[in-house]
Amino acid sequence: MRGKRLPDWDWRIWGSSLLTVLWLGAGVVYLATGVGWTLWQGEADDIGGFFEGFFAPLAFLWLVVGLFIQQKELARTRDEMQRANALAAQQASAMEATALTARQQAFFLIAENVRRQTGNLIGAMLAAGDNDLVESEEELERHWSAHAAGDYESFPRLLLKIESGLQEATFGSVRADAEFFFGSPFRASLSEEYLRSFRRLLRLARECDTADAIRGTVTHTPHGLVYGAMLAEVRAPVAWLFLDAPVPQGPNVDVAGTWHVVFDPDNRDIPATPELTLRLWAGDGGWQGTTASGQGEMPIEAAAVAGNVLFFRLDVGGPVPICATVDGDRMRGRAESQYGDVYAFTGTREGG
């Protein structure tokens, strides 16, 4: 009938169907002209043997065709599963990209709030005592007005020393020192809150930035430079609790000796030198020491022991505060750079 289409069969089915019709037709002709219809008058065994031999080729033919069709269907199913897996992977990648974009958008909103908060903290420190960083009350008022208008880097810029570059002025070192950041309990509390807030911002940047572009930008702003200057002046142990240091337990431990320190190989931020030698001794001004590695030897800074916790700081292209729990001749700790890189490590004392 017009408008109807033949079934969309495989060519094997069409060919086998044609062979089957021809074979049945040949069988009818053979019965009519060769054997004769007297076959039906024979024994049942003879009739059964005839039909068994007659239909055996057809059974074998359709068995082979069925195997080929099944193989084709399996291949089609496999292709569909591969396409489904590829589509699922694309969807997962798109969802991950969408989630990353959402985290980045949330980060920039949070970063704006942190910039406002840390700008407030610097402004409060500048107003909390005499210093040579602000020329007059009028200048301080101008900076508060700029801060209120959305220039949240107005106060951090006051702490920066501007150095003349080859083409344009660039931000240089921070003029503020330990006395400015930690010279009074009030300014020390503001500085510690600044450290906590900016550290949380760096942690968020690590979670939403796969190429360190965002984190690198954040740490090189005036806020980031002030954060690094604070880390370089922070003293142990109270001010280092923002590094998630464990609560000290028991009496102060003896950490004197030579320690072989190995950084955790599973840490994705493994430093360039995975091993170093740490030497500690008690001096007149408290605990002193050095570290030795393939990059040379350098002194440790601001070392202190509180209970079973050791604190000290290194300067490795920037301040790196370190805290470790000491248990006999073993220690386990973590370090964190001004860029938010976290390093886990273990140490063993020689002779222990």
Side-chain angles (χ1 to χ4, degrees):
M1 295 177 63
R2 182 177 299 179
K4 290 189 175 181
R5 299 178 57 186
L6 293 174
D8 187 16
W9 287 350
D10 187 272
W11 64 270
R12 299 178 184 88
I13 297 179
W14 284 110
S16 299
S17 299
L18 179 60
L19 288 175
T20 300
V21 171
L22 293 176
W23 182 262
L24 291 175
V28 172
V29 173
Y30 175 73
L31 284 174
T33 61
V35 177
W37 299 108
T38 57
L39 175 66
W40 305 105
Q41 301 174 1
E43 298 290 335
D45 292 342
D46 295 335
I47 297 174
F50 171 80
F51 281 107
E52 181 180 357
F54 180 77
F55 286 106
L58 293 180
F60 180 75
L61 171 65
W62 285 103
L63 175 63
V64 173
V65 170
L67 290 175
F68 278 112
I69 297 301
Q70 185 180 31
Q71 192 176 45
K72 179 181 179 181
E73 290 300 322
L74 289 174
R76 181 183 300 175
T77 302
R78 184 187 64 246
D79 294 340
E80 291 177 353
M81 291 181 62
Q82 289 178 347
R83 287 193 294 269
N85 291 337
L87 179 60
Q90 292 176 356
Q91 292 175 341
S93 179
M95 292 176 62
E96 183 178 353
T98 301
L100 178 61
T101 301
R103 290 199 302 271
Q104 289 175 344
Q105 291 174 346
F107 168 81
F108 288 119
L109 292 175
I110 296 172
E112 190 73 3
N113 292 329
V114 171
R115 289 174 62 242
R116 179 172 62 249
Q117 176 194 11
T118 50
N120 276 329
L121 294 173
I122 296 298
M125 278 188 277
L126 287 167
D130 295 334
N131 58 76
D132 58 357
L133 301 175
V134 181
E135 295 180 358
S136 63
E137 291 293 331
E138 290 76 13
E139 182 186 9
L140 189 62
E141 287 296 330
R142 288 196 301 271
H143 283 283
W144 275 117
S145 298
H147 177 82
D151 182 8
Y152 302 136
E153 294 184 346
S154 179
F155 285 121
R157 282 198 301 268
L158 276 174
L159 306 186
L160 300 179
K161 181 189 299 182
I162 305 300
E163 298 177 350
S164 178
L166 296 177
Q167 298 180 349
E168 59 183 356
T170 58
F171 290 126
S173 58
V174 177
R175 294 189 292 165
D177 55 13
E179 177 65 25
F180 175 79
F181 291 130
F182 304 101
S184 71
F186 177 69
R187 289 199 298 273
S189 65
L190 295 178
S191 296
E192 290 175 23
E193 182 59 31
Y194 189 108
L195 289 167
R196 291 188 184 93
S197 298
F198 201 85
R199 178 173 175 263
R200 286 193 294 265
L201 184 64
L202 289 177
R203 182 179 296 177
L204 290 174
R206 285 163 53 88
E207 295 173 355
C208 68
D209 186 16
T210 56
D212 283 346
I214 296 176
R215 189 169 50 143
T217 301
V218 169
T219 54
H220 288 86
T221 61
H223 289 84
L225 296 176
V226 171
Y227 176 74
M230 285 184 178
L231 281 185
E233 301 294 346
V234 72
R235 290 290 182 260
V238 177
W240 283 7
L241 295 180
F242 76 93
L243 283 179
D244 301 328
V247 177
Q249 304 289 334
N252 290 352
V253 296
D254 182 12
V255 298
T258 299
W259 298 79
H260 180 63
V261 176
V262 179
F263 289 90
D264 184 359
D266 295 331
N267 192 301
R268 73 180 184 91
D269 294 315
I270 191 70
T273 303
E275 299 184 9
L276 58 84
T277 300
L278 170 64
R279 296 182 177 88
L280 295 167
W281 63 87
D284 295 336
W287 286 102
Q288 301 176 16
T290 62
T291 62
S293 66
Q295 297 178 343
E297 184 172 321
M298 64 179 65
I300 65 173
E301 303 171 350
V305 174
N308 62 336
V309 181
L310 166 68
F311 302 87
F312 64 95
R313 186 177 63 239
L314 290 176
D315 185 356
V316 188
V320 181
I322 299 170
C323 58
T325 302
V326 180
D327 182 11
D329 294 321
R330 301 286 186 273
M331 73 166 61
R332 179 180 298 274
R334 63 196 301 275
E336 185 168 328
S337 75
Q338 70 184 85
Y339 306 108
D341 298 316
V342 178
Y343 311 129
F345 65 88
T346 57
T348 304
R349 180 158 37 190
E350 289 186 2

